[in-house]
Amino acid sequence: MSKEATNKGSRNAPPRASAMVEALRGLGYSPATAIADIIDNSVAAGARTVSIHFGWNGINSHILIVDDGRGMDENQLDVAMRLGEKSPLDERDASDLGRFGLGLKTASFSQARRLTVASRRNGVTNTLRWDLDILLADRSGRWSLLEGPHPGSEKNFECLNELENGTAVLWENLDRIVAPGHDEQEFLDVSDRVERHLAMVFHRMIENRRLRLLINGHSIAPWNPFLEARLDTWRSGEDRFMVNGCLIRTEAFVLPHKDRLDNKTWEAAGGPDGWTAQQGFYVYRNDRLLLAGSWLGLGRGRSWTKDEPYRLARITARARPESGAADPAAPHRTLPN
Ligand SMILES: Nc1ncnc2c1ncn2[C@@H]1O[C@H](COP(=O)(O)OP(=O)(O)OP(=O)(O)O)[C@@H](O)[C@H]1O
Ligand SMILES: [Mg+2]
């Protein structure tokens, strides 16, 4: 069959912009996981410091995330703001935490109806914006990517002027975070939950001083799930093996019993979801925590469940793509197929 014959009758069928993005809003992010996805981009861009600001002003509240990474020029910012521009099949740098080319947009839309990104590269700032209410009002279904900040929001980006390179992500119209009738305390509770989550997800990077996270001006202290600094934490010693060119390092920990810890330490060590929920494997990629406390469906016949007696058991599993080659001295074995 000729090529023309196969294509005969084909038509261009782009999705209607507002229907598509409204559907993408349901991807299941929380404010904390959404902000962590934005920070992944900052880390991939080489940022050393990321500042998160929760600005309370009733239904006009906003969240601003500013990094000092390498920033984007006009063309890179244009590509970054488009959906479906980068493919998961594209080659990526081994240290890149991104994969789908969507996180900036989907994480932002899950929490906010207006996303503005200003990026500064070599002292020049460019700004682009999506506004879901503008897409909704446009009956033609166009993907109207707007230029510049929303009138009145310019001051949020003044902080970039102090940097040679960097990026600021602004979320406004936070309809999933601030519903009418919500008060400031509820907004602060959200920022507390975000802080606890980021302290856990990025704890290794904060501990290694590779990353500094600030929330409303104060530094986020790392939350180490394994109480590694304590001598009475039992540890198995590290095991290393290669899977598909990826070095995996695992180590099991049994945390000290409640009787050995003061109340404050016990409470804090429980973690964001508490002692029973936080048992199991902690899976990392490039020192970024991907999964916090899971038995990964292990167990023959009947999967292991999270039970009270195992609440002190936590296991770290760290994956570093292609780092086996960079670390030839590392003792390792290959997993049997
Ligand atoms: N803070 C930032 N600094 C520099 N470049 C950025 C920043 N945020 C996003 N980008 C650029 O925009 C692109 C798109 O980001 P986006 O989060 O949408 O997708 P991704 O990170 O490629 O993949 P994923 O969907 O897995 O997050 C990134 O690949 C990166 O090139
Ligand atoms: Mg991303």
Side-chain angles (χ1 to χ4, degrees):
M1 207 189 291
S2 76
K3 197 152 186 266
E4 276 107 290
T6 17
N7 286 341
K8 195 169 163 221
S10 78
R11 58 189 78 176
N12 184 23
R16 193 154 60 83
S18 87
M20 186 75 200
V21 291
E22 296 292 342
L24 284 174
R25 302 196 79 199
L27 278 183
Y29 283 100
S30 67
T33 57
I35 291 177
D37 262 29
I38 301 298
I39 297 173
D40 284 348
N41 289 337
S42 303
V43 170
R48 304 301 301 250
T49 303
V50 182
S51 302
I52 305 136
H53 181 72
F54 277 69
W56 170 254
N57 185 14
I59 57 161
N60 296 316
S61 299
H62 68 265
I63 295 174
L64 178 69
I65 302 147
V66 184
D67 72 48
D68 61 356
R70 70 180 73 92
M72 291 172 272
D73 64 22
E74 190 177 0
N75 186 44
Q76 289 166 329
L77 177 62
D78 181 277
V79 170
M81 290 295 271
R82 290 172 190 252
L83 289 93
E85 200 62 29
K86 280 197 174 180
S87 161
L89 304 176
D90 292 348
E91 277 283 318
R92 295 259 189 173
D93 195 281
S95 64
D96 194 342
L97 297 168
R99 176 137 190 267
F100 299 102
L102 285 173
L104 171 64
K105 288 73 67 175
T106 49
S108 302
F109 295 155
S110 74
Q111 308 301 315
R113 295 192 64 81
R114 190 188 297 142
L115 160 68
T116 311
V117 181
S119 199
R120 190 163 172 89
R121 181 132 176 111
N122 299 329
V124 179
T125 305
N126 288 284
T127 307
L128 290 173
R129 162 169 55 108
W130 286 113
D131 191 323
L132 302 197
D133 290 329
I134 290 181
L135 295 187
L136 188 63
D138 185 343
R139 301 215 137 250
S140 70
R142 282 185 67 233
W143 293 86
S144 310
L145 182 54
L146 307 164
E147 286 180 19
H150 182 74
S153 299
E154 299 83 355
K155 60 182 179 315
N156 290 295
F157 300 107
E158 283 169 7
C159 54
L160 279 182
N161 297 339
E162 298 158 16
L163 301 170
E164 181 66 7
N165 299 303
T167 299
V169 174
L170 177 67
W171 294 350
E172 296 170 293
N173 289 352
L174 303 168
D175 64 333
R176 295 275 166 84
I177 298 177
V178 185
H182 274 204
D183 62 20
E184 186 171 7
Q185 190 52 50
E186 284 164 287
F187 194 59
L188 293 175
D189 291 345
V190 174
S191 86
D192 283 347
R193 281 197 295 278
V194 168
E195 178 169 353
R196 283 199 294 277
H197 184 76
L198 299 180
M200 175 173 79
V201 167
F202 295 103
H203 78 92
R204 290 204 186 276
M205 293 186 196
I206 304 173
E207 286 162 358
N208 299 340
R209 301 189 187 283
R210 205 178 123 197
L211 182 66
R212 200 159 75 103
L213 295 180
L214 301 168
I215 192 159
N216 284 355
H218 72 263
S219 291
I220 298 183
W223 181 79
N224 185 304
F226 314 106
L227 294 184
E228 278 177 70
R230 288 184 66 104
L231 293 175
D232 51 0
T233 294
W234 178 87
R235 47 201 300 178
S236 65
E238 199 174 78
D239 205 3
R240 299 181 174 201
F241 48 87
M242 298 294 291
V243 178
N244 298 334
C246 187
L247 176 68
I248 314 281
R249 296 156 61 193
T250 60
E251 186 168 15
F253 297 82
V254 178
L255 276 64
H257 189 265
K258 188 171 190 228
D259 297 348
R260 304 184 73 106
L261 303 173
D262 60 60
N263 274 347
K264 204 168 153 234
T265 313
W266 172 256
E267 273 299 310
D273 296 320
W275 276 98
T276 302
Q278 301 259 186
Q279 66 185 268
F281 282 90
Y282 285 71
V283 181
Y284 297 79
R285 178 167 180 259
N286 286 330
D287 283 345
R288 193 268 201 219
L289 184 64
L290 299 174
L291 193 66
S294 162
W295 290 117
L296 307 174
L298 291 170
R300 283 176 202 270
R302 197 169 77 88
S303 326
W304 298 349
T305 51
K306 288 187 181 175
D307 287 328
E308 186 84 0
Y310 310 117
R311 65 181 180 176
L312 301 179
R314 295 179 182 174
I315 301 152
T316 179
R318 303 166 69 178
R320 190 174 291 281
E322 285 153 12
S323 62
D327 188 10
H332 65 258
R333 58 187 158 81
T334 306
L335 271 191
N337 285 323

